[in-house]
Every structure is written in C-alpha cells, then in structure tokens.
C-alpha cells in the first residue's frame, strides 16, 4: 500500500516545501494534465482544428469522463456525464426531480448544506412558481423530517465546513419508502470516500471536478441520473447537445437517449482534457484503500493537534467513519491563523465564521506531512504568529 501512495504522489506537481491540505477545495496539478493540455492545444486544437471533434473524439469526452467518475461513485456505465458546474447541475437535477413528484411541494435540505445548493433551490422555486418550499432542518433532524409531504430530499453527503458525513444509504432508503426523490451532492465525496449510488438507490447525484478529482480550477462537474429514470425526465436546460440528433438542426427539441439528455451546450474541451488527465491518477487505485488511509491521516492529525494546541476546538466528528476526508477546527481568529499557516507553507483554508479546514488526500499526502503540518500549527498558535496586521486583512477568496 505504501508503494501505491508513493507512486500516486509522484503523479502530482506540488511546490517544494509546501504541505498541501486543500485538495478538498482545489486539487493540485497532475503532471499528466500539464502534458495532455500542451498536446491537446498543439496537436488537436492547433493541428486538427474543427476536425478534432471527430478525430480526437472531443464530442464523446463528457461521456468518457462520466464513466471514469462513475467508477468511483458506484454508478454504472452510461449513468454519469461530465458537464457544466455543480451549481448548474443541481439546477438540472432539481428541476428534473420536481417534474417527477406530482403535488408534493417540499424540498427538504439541511443547514449544513453548501449555500450555493440552497440558493439554487430558491432560484428553482422562484422560476417554477408552483408553490414549492425549501425546508431546512438541522443535519441530525433530516431523518425524522422525511415523510410523505416531501417531494425531494436534497443533501450534500459530506458537510463542506465540518466534514460530517450523512448516512446516504439509510436516508435514501427512508426517502424511497416515503416516495421521496433523492438528490445527493457528492462535491466532498467523489474521490474522497467510497460512494455506492446504485447500492443506495439514489435518484440523482451531482459533484465537483476540481476538488478530490483534481480536474483543475473551475473543472467541469458531473451529474448522475439513475438509469431507470433517465428516459422519464425532460431536461429544463434542453440544449442542442442534449438533443436526440443535434446535427439534424430540427426546430423542436427531442431529448437524447439516456444520460446524454443532461448535456446542454458545447463542452469546454481544454478543461475536460485537464479533468480527464487528472482522473488518470485513479487508474489502479482502490478507493477503499484511499478511505482507510484518509481516516488514519485524519485521526493522526486530530491527535497531534489536540496534544499541541489545546485552544483549538475540533469541529469535525471524532469518529472517522462519520467524517469525510477533512479535519476542521474552530479558533476565534481562524482566518488569521490560516493566513499565518499558509505563510509557513501549510496550505488549508478558512470557512466563516471561525473554521480552519484541512483536507487529507492520500494520493499525495502522507503521515510525515501530517505531523509536520501539526508542528507548524503549534508554532503559529503558541508564538501567536497569526497576530499580525497582514494576516487579519481578508482577501476576496478565503
Ligand atoms: C464546492 C461545492 C459546490 C461548488 O459549486 P460550483 O458550481 O462548482 O461553484 C457546490 N456544492 C457543494 C456542496 C460544494 O462543496
């Protein structure tokens, strides 16, 4: 197993001396992506020009990438497509889900969801104007709130701030029994832990290409639709590339077969190429081995930090089986603490109001870096290195 992770670490380009604990926000550069992008630009864009849609298979890239991602999230071939952003895919999934739910009006979510997901739901409700309502409960109250009034259960499996992990299988089963359509946001799950969409019987899922999948800044996201539902939904973003026959240029829309209909417009090929190359780091990697190592890394980090920095309060579940692949702590000056850490080459991030967040990604983070990061954090806290004007001034992106 050590050999496996030594091999995968060599696949990434991380600046010398940097301990990168923010792969949950932006995965690092895969060497393969750098090479593939350069080749794609020179040979296919530069040399093949428009022909590359066929000769280089550009047109099928979203489906090919979808299948690669599907293998990591327990989705069968042909049920995932790479497209758009997570937010836009949620819009597509939620409008499709609501078309299946008859008279029910409640979209159930929780207060640990990522705000963009809640904002998109508000936008869908306003746009449809059919009297739907977003009901937000505490994460631990979701299960009790699932009943026959709920149209759609819309959850993010791993809480972006605390790393708290929902029980997808149990919640989906309860939802199914109550006739509720489920949408799972896997932004902090895909590439972080084993997901079994088929086994859970989830209806829709969406997720992010630039976090644990290492697809690059603003990488295309993905959308999953349970195979049995694919032909029942009429996409709200019914663009030409989701049409049954885009190059007939018909004047009216007919949805394409299966997951293809969730495509809207022309895919961003350079971004898709980077994502495809980033995904090659997963070739031959067992996600269960990654999960086991990620839990061990997170457990070690918690132990080291708690021993060294008693003022920090653990915001993540202590039980590794209830946590994603990140560890978060609270500190009243969390923003400044994180800036001081970054200045000392330990890169994590800050989430308002007081969370410092560290992602643990076994593909390129090992035990040594984990202890070294805790040592730097101890120094930042004990020597109050954060208490300095330049670290208190907030940047646009935190
Ligand atoms: C990161 C993240 C997103 C990001 O959405 P974008 O459209 O890519 O900006 C959405 N939902 C969750 C839960 C996330 O963690």
């Amino acid at each position: 197993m050590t050999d496996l992770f030594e091999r995968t670490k060599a696949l990434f380009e991380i600046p010398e001396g940097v301990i990168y604990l923010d792969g949950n926000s932006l995965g690092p550069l895969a060497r393969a992506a750098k090479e593939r992008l350069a080749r794609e630009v020179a040979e296919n864009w530069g040399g093949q020009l428009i022909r590359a849609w066929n000769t280089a298979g550009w047109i099928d890239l979203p489906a090919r990438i979808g299948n690669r991602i599907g293998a990591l999230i327990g989705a069968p071939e042909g049920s995932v497509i790479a497209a758009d952003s997570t937010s836009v895919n949620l819009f597509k999934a939620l409008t499709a889900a609501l078309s299946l739910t008859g008279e029910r009006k409640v979209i159930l979510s929780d207060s640990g969801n990522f705000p963009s997901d809640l904002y998109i739901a508000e936008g869908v409700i306003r746009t449809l104007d059919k009297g739907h309502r977003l009901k937000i409960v505490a994460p631990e109250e979701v299960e009790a709130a699932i009943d026959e009034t709920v149209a759609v259960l819309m959850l993010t499996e791993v809480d972006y701030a605390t790393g708290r992990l929902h029980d997808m299988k149990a919640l989906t089963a309860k939802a199914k029994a109550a006739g509720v359509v489920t949408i799972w946001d896997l932004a902090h799950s895909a590439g972080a832990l084993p997901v079994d969409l088929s086994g859970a019987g989830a209806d829709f899922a969406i997720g992010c290409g630039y976090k644990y999948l290492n697809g690059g800044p603003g990488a295309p996201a993905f959308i999953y639709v349970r195979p049995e539902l694919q032909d029942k939904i009429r996409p709200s973003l019914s663009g030409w590339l989701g049409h049954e026959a885009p190059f007939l240029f018909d004047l009216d829309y007919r949805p394409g077969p299966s997951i293809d209909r969730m495509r809207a417009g022309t895919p961003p090929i350079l971004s898709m190429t980077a994502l495809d190359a980033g995904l090659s780091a997963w070739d031959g990697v067992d996600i269960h081995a990654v999960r086991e190592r990620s839990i061990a890394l997170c457990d070690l980090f918690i132990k080291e930090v708690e021993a060294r920095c008693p003022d920090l309060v653990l915001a993540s579940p202590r039980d590794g089986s209830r946590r994603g692949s990140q560890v978060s702590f609270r500190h009243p000056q969390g923003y400044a603490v994180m800036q001081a850490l970054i200045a000392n080459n330990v890169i994590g991030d800050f989430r308002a109001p007081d969370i410092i967040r560290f992602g643990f990604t076994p593909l390129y983070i090992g035990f040594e870096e984990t202890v070294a990061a805790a040592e730097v954090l101890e120094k930042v806290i004990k020597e109050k290195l954060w208490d300095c004007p330049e670290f208190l001034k907030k940047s646009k992106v935190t």
Side-chain angles (χ1 to χ4, degrees), residues 102-323:
E103 290 307 304
R104 297 188 188 190
K105 298 295 182 205
V106 176
I107 300 165
L108 177 62
S109 192
D110 74 46
S111 54
N113 207 343
F114 188 65
S116 189
D117 293 34
L118 303 175
Y119 303 161
I120 291 287
E122 280 182 36
V124 166
I125 290 169
R126 235 180 298 118
T127 305
L128 292 179
D129 197 19
K130 283 187 177 163
H132 291 103
R133 165 170 93 77
L134 179 60
K135 179 174 176 182
I136 300 174
V137 301
E140 56 282 4
E141 285 160 12
V142 169
E143 194 190 341
I146 298 172
D147 61 28
E148 270 142 41
T149 65
V150 177
V152 174
L153 175 64
M154 179 189 88
L155 294 174
T156 296
E157 190 189 19
V158 177
D159 183 315
Y160 74 101
T162 65
R164 185 235 348 99
L165 174 66
H166 270 308
D167 186 340
M168 178 189 289
K169 198 163 184 189
L171 292 172
T172 304
K174 178 150 190 208
K176 275 188 121 48
V180 176
V181 176
T182 49
I183 302 176
W184 286 97
D185 187 331
L186 304 178
H188 292 274
S189 307
L193 43 92
V195 176
D196 185 7
L197 288 175
S198 286
D203 295 314
F204 296 86
I206 53 168
C208 206
Y210 52 77
K211 292 171 179 161
Y212 295 91
L213 299 181
N214 308 311
F222 63 87
I223 180 164
Y224 162 84
V225 181
R226 187 160 63 82
E228 297 74 21
L229 289 180
Q230 287 170 5
D231 290 334
K232 296 200 179 122
I233 53 179
R234 278 190 76 85
S236 54
L237 299 185
S238 43
W240 73 306
L241 286 185
H243 192 282
E244 186 180 50
F247 286 87
L248 290 185
F249 300 102
D250 284 345
L251 294 188
D252 44 53
Y253 179 78
R254 275 175 287 124
S258 63
I259 194 71
D260 278 359
R261 67 180 60 186
M262 300 316 275
R263 294 177 70 158
T266 306
I269 291 301
L270 297 182
S271 298
M272 290 267 171
T273 299
L275 173 58
D276 194 34
L279 284 165
S280 64
W282 290 96
D283 292 347
V285 174
D286 175 5
I287 186 77
H288 293 90
V290 169
R291 174 65 169 157
E292 195 181 308
R293 177 99 150 183
S294 142
I295 290 178
L297 292 170
C298 291
D299 283 348
L300 175 64
F301 189 67
I302 292 172
K303 181 175 132 235
E304 290 287 330
V305 172
E306 288 190 327
R308 294 161 189 274
C309 316
D311 293 352
L312 291 180
V313 179
L314 182 66
S316 299
R318 196 171 289 282
D319 175 355
S321 69
R322 323 255 337 235
R323 191 175 63 216

Side-chain angles (χ1 to χ4, degrees), residues 32-45:
K34 202 171 167 180
E35 286 159 25
R36 268 277 300 279
L37 270 177
R39 227 174 340 114
E40 196 67 48
V41 168
E43 292 175 18
N44 291 331
W45 184 11

